[in-house]
Amino acid sequence: MKTVFFAEDEPLARDVLRDAIYAHPGLRLVGEAADGASALARIGTLRPDVVFMDIQMPEMTGLEVLRQLDYLPQIVFTTAYDQYAVAAFELHAVDYLLKPFTRARFADSVARLLDGARSERAAVEGALVRASAGPAPLDRILVRDRGRIFPLAAHEIEYMKADSKYTVISARGQHFLVRIGMSELEAQLDPRRFIRVHRSALVNLDFVESMRADDQSQLQIFMRDGTCIGANREASRLLREMAI
């Protein structure tokens, strides 16, 4: 029997996972967490055999949690995102469950866990090493919107704004609402072009019309589409240092 921990911030998804784990004779639930920081602390203490890990959570992402663990449990990612979000980070875990998943799909995932194939664990280790080394910047992302999928070249993205669990992507004169954290997208974008100017805003410098300091000496960034985005103190300092 394998000990199991899961990290999931959505209450309904937690209930589904908890019930599925309790119902499986090969698993024993030892703990759960609703945010990344709590998950890191509890996993380090409990050291479960298996972790069901959500990708996007408050405090820390699932990837950030895994990078800081001092041992490697078997990992199954649970995600509400499409396959692009998983492929983007090259995280070949034992399995991933695309929410909402069926009980049959959960059972199939557990069967892979209980097999305990060494090749699968080696794949996880290799993927984490590659991720920690820093993947090449994304050239393109696939965005779902109103039942359609739009390929967007990374250089077409003008700016992003965080909105609760969603990220608003501005590109081609449109706004796309996606269910993936801005931090996860930022990690895959070219830092020479994209800069985080605020906790909830990321801009593509190619689409900046001009910048002007406000009364607190923090920069106001004027985008080509007329949007004004305020930069925080650190970003303002960095942008001033970049100016010649």
Side-chain angles (χ1 to χ4, degrees), residues 1-21:
M1 179 176 290
K2 289 184 177 288
T3 56
V4 178
F5 184 95
F6 73 83
E8 170 62 61
D9 68 322
E10 297 178 8
L12 180 58
R14 283 203 301 273
D15 292 342
V16 171
L17 264 174
R18 189 183 302 113
D19 291 346
I21 293 168

Side-chain angles (χ1 to χ4, degrees), residues 141 143 145 152-162 167-178 182 185 189 194 200-204 207 223-229:
I141 64 175
V143 177
D145 189 70
L152 291 180
H155 65 78
E156 293 181 299
I157 298 172
E158 300 169 24
Y159 57 87
M160 299 182 192
K161 290 186 175 182
T167 298
V168 179
I169 299 177
S170 178
R172 302 177 186 170
Q174 301 181 61
H175 292 90
F176 302 93
L177 191 66
V178 298
M182 190 169 66
L185 285 172
L189 295 171
F194 293 89
S200 59
L202 179 80
V203 302
N204 182 345
F207 290 90
M223 307 301 295
R224 291 182 185 174
D225 69 355
T227 300
C228 179
I229 301 173

